[in-house]
Amino acid sequence: MRHSRSLRPGAALAAALIVAAAVTSGCGSGGPDGTRKSTARSGETSSSPSRSASRSSSPPATGSAGRTAENDTPPLPESLTGQQPHWSPCPPPNAAQGSDTGSPAPLPGDARWECAKLRVPLDYSKPEGRTIGIEMIRAPERKGGGKRIGSLLFNFGGPGGSGVATLPAFAEDYEKLRGRYDLVSFDPRGVGRSEGVKCLSDGRLDAYFAADWTPDTDAEERRLFARQKSFAKGCEKRAGALLPHLTTRNTARDMDLMRHVLGDRKLHYFGISYGTELGSVYAHLYPQRVGRAVFDAVVDPTTTPVQGSLSQTSGFQLALDNFLKHCAETGEECPVGEDPAKAGQRISDLLADLDAEPMPTDSGRKLTESLAEGGIAQALYAKETWELLTQGLEEALVDSDGSTLLLLADALNGRNQDGTYSTLQSALTAINCADNKQRYGKREITSRLPAFTDQSPVFGPMSAWGLASCHDWPVRGDWATPQVRAPGSDPILLVGTTGDPATPYGGTRAMDKELGKDVGVEVTYRGEGHGAYNSGNSCVRKVVDGYLLRGRVPQDGTDCR
């Protein structure tokens, strides 16, 4: 199951921005039971002083004091550390980034978005060798908001989401933060305009996502693995030299060079979903360089791909159950009926029918079982898209029309309205496979199918078979699980949502434990959807803004409803 994340569906859902991922997500110990650790902190955090961008920032911590086994890389040359970004007006997002988003709208006060390229080493063990360009975007600090702190770097998840396309789409949500920061995001290596990876042609991607990913026979299983092998070969052909270097660890190193070039002594950071894993890896490599940091929709760093996928399967089933209860409360308007238990079976029956015979849509394409399941999952990422899911299910069950579910699936898969694809899903696979050492074949997957199906008859089978995504990958993975311990780091806010389908709530507790003593500060949002800050909850906004803007560390275990 290839879940990605849309923070918020717009009026044109096909333009949705995809910002989070599946395989690296998971669930740790604990749950939404209200229990918390006994220790607590409050008051002002020690933060780097306010400053304007300058060459006085500390150099990237590579090949110097503080070197760790995970960061044993030579020092970077002055040609990289001495870069001065050339900020200029941003072009519209291209197909690789997600062209449906359009040009960034002007910021309040007629401020303009600015873009620039950062040169980074392809291979950090050979810093004098080939470099690649990392596309950056920034919204300059708004005057009159207070004393400048620095740059606030965003990663919206994936892995595979374009930060250059995403940040402008949600600029309104972060406008208050622009009072003391330049807001900055980027396309990570392998994404969008940063050497974006696209493994198949658009037509072949259409067929790939529509294919049967829940095989029922030996022949269907062989076809599944053949498709996966063809996908991997396409990645190798189009981006072979890049693939070994698309690790989260390397992207964290890119962020430290970015921090230095932007003129900041410490990295102030806002990571969502996979962005929390990226941020935690940065904190492990450079604990003394963590400034004010927020992790929202927290990934469990302790889980293997199997454990994470199984936990996420449970998370999506929980979200589906919550949707079905809500739908039942609408009475006769609920297309799957007023009994949530029977409603779940109706959805399973719909998927089985689509497996046998795909459904027509107004685009002329067919809605298959795989596309329908992806569309359902996409709608569960935010409570505000439940209405669209109701509409899609009504069309499919009453009118035999798969149009809305297909539109949702296209958003999940990064398909633009003109039929082109962004790099989202290709980059997601490439980064996951560069990170994770584990490779799963038929025997491992079929042995785990019952456990996945027990967690969710709707999402379980496809989630299990999704473990095959790295089976024939041409390069080895970097780790079994990421190292994230960050002794000496400034406090990191860990914001978890109890109804989050993609990064289940338990991951917040697990991340807190792994970061180490006196690093994580837990904040719970008792609500639905993936990500709390963009949910509009005033309590979460107040807590996060208080930390980022004024350095106020909230009480550990703060509860928002």
Side-chain angles (χ1 to χ4, degrees), residues 1-2 23 208 213 221 224-225 227-229 232 429 433 439-442 445 462-473:
M1 193 170 182
R2 292 165 179 76
V23 178
Y208 180 79
W213 292 101
E221 289 175 5
L224 182 150
F225 281 101
R227 282 194 305 273
Q228 206 61 64
K229 186 173 183 177
T429 301
C433 297
R439 302 291 186 256
Y440 301 99
K442 175 182 175 179
I445 293 170
M462 193 175 292
S463 292
W465 285 107
L467 294 170
S469 60
C470 297
H471 179 65
D472 282 299
W473 201 249

Side-chain angles (χ1 to χ4, degrees), residues 74-92:
L76 300 181
E78 197 278 335
S79 60
L80 295 178
T81 61
Q83 293 179 80
Q84 297 274 0
H86 176 65
W87 296 103
S88 59
C90 296

Side-chain angles (χ1 to χ4, degrees), residues 84-92 104 112-117 135-140 164:
Q84 297 274 0
H86 176 65
W87 296 103
S88 59
C90 296
R112 296 289 177 179
W113 292 94
E114 301 172 330
C115 288
K117 280 277 190 186
E135 186 81 2
M136 302 184 297
I137 189 170
R138 76 172 178 182
V164 174

